[in-house]
Amino acid sequence: MSLLRRERSQLLLAPERTLFASARSRGASTTPTRHAFESLDSERGQGQLAEYLSEHRERIHSLDVVVSNRWVSYALGEPTDAFLRPAEERALASARICAMYGGKPEDWRVGVQSPAPGAGIVAAAMRVSRIDALRAVLDRAGGFRYTLRPLLDAAARMTRG
């Protein structure tokens, strides 16, 4: 299938359900498609999503995965005047996440928003087990390129314009 006919697709992950939405990348004036599946936490939900993605593999170019704020943990670090390397920022954020929500650093995948001078580090983290479940579904469906981001980030981008 032509790349011009592939769809821009979004996957919304929440504790109660998984929502899939897609729209044509260029040209076509079709209505976007939307499908609801059970939660990615259940085997049935994982199977439903994998089956749907497998059936529509050639139409989907990549997935923008937006994760409910109930599955993402946030932390704000103390302001520092030091200039930190990205690895140092991530280590500080990871320690903060573990102190607030429990677990070990290897239990979490942590993303960091580098601070402005004099501001604290903003971190968003998701349990590795949830990310592994998503990867398993995508691998079962044939593998897709995807981006993973929290709902808060998606909402902020929409308001910017």
Side-chain angles (χ1 to χ4, degrees):
M1 180 171 275
S2 165
L3 284 177
L4 296 178
R5 302 206 49 111
R6 287 194 167 179
E7 298 173 347
R8 191 179 70 226
S9 303
Q10 190 171 51
L11 200 56
L12 306 170
L13 302 180
E16 307 84 25
R17 70 183 59 91
T18 299
L19 301 174
F20 176 86
S22 64
R24 289 268 160 96
S25 294
R26 301 195 200 309
S29 60
T30 59
T31 306
T33 59
R34 294 180 178 90
H35 299 279
F37 307 102
E38 289 187 25
S39 173
L40 192 61
D41 278 345
S42 74
E43 285 187 34
R44 184 167 181 217
Q46 292 173 11
Q48 290 172 333
L49 179 60
E51 183 178 332
Y52 181 83
L53 292 174
S54 293
E55 290 173 4
H56 298 88
R57 177 185 357 218
E58 61 242 3
R59 288 188 3 221
I60 301 168
H61 177 62
S62 62
L63 291 172
D64 179 24
V65 181
V66 178
V67 183
S68 165
N69 287 326
R70 292 184 14 207
W71 275 0
V72 178
S73 300
Y74 298 95
L76 181 60
E78 298 295 323
T80 178
D81 291 330
F83 288 101
L84 302 174
R85 294 185 177 109
E88 295 169 324
E89 288 177 350
R90 198 169 352 278
L92 282 173
S94 182
R96 184 79 171 188
I97 290 286
C98 290
M100 291 176 69
Y101 302 103
K104 299 174 277 188
E106 53 271 5
D107 296 339
W108 296 95
R109 183 68 36 105
V110 179
V112 177
Q113 177 67 42
S114 295
I121 295 170
V122 177
M126 190 169 164
R127 292 221 176 253
V128 171
S129 59
R130 293 205 195 281
I131 296 171
D132 289 344
L134 174 64
R135 283 188 179 141
V137 169
L138 295 177
D139 288 345
R140 218 162 94 194
F144 289 93
R145 282 188 347 181
Y146 67 94
T147 57
L148 182 67
R149 59 196 175 114
L151 180 60
L152 187 62
D153 178 61
R157 287 178 193 226
M158 287 174 59
T159 60
R160 283 189 237 149

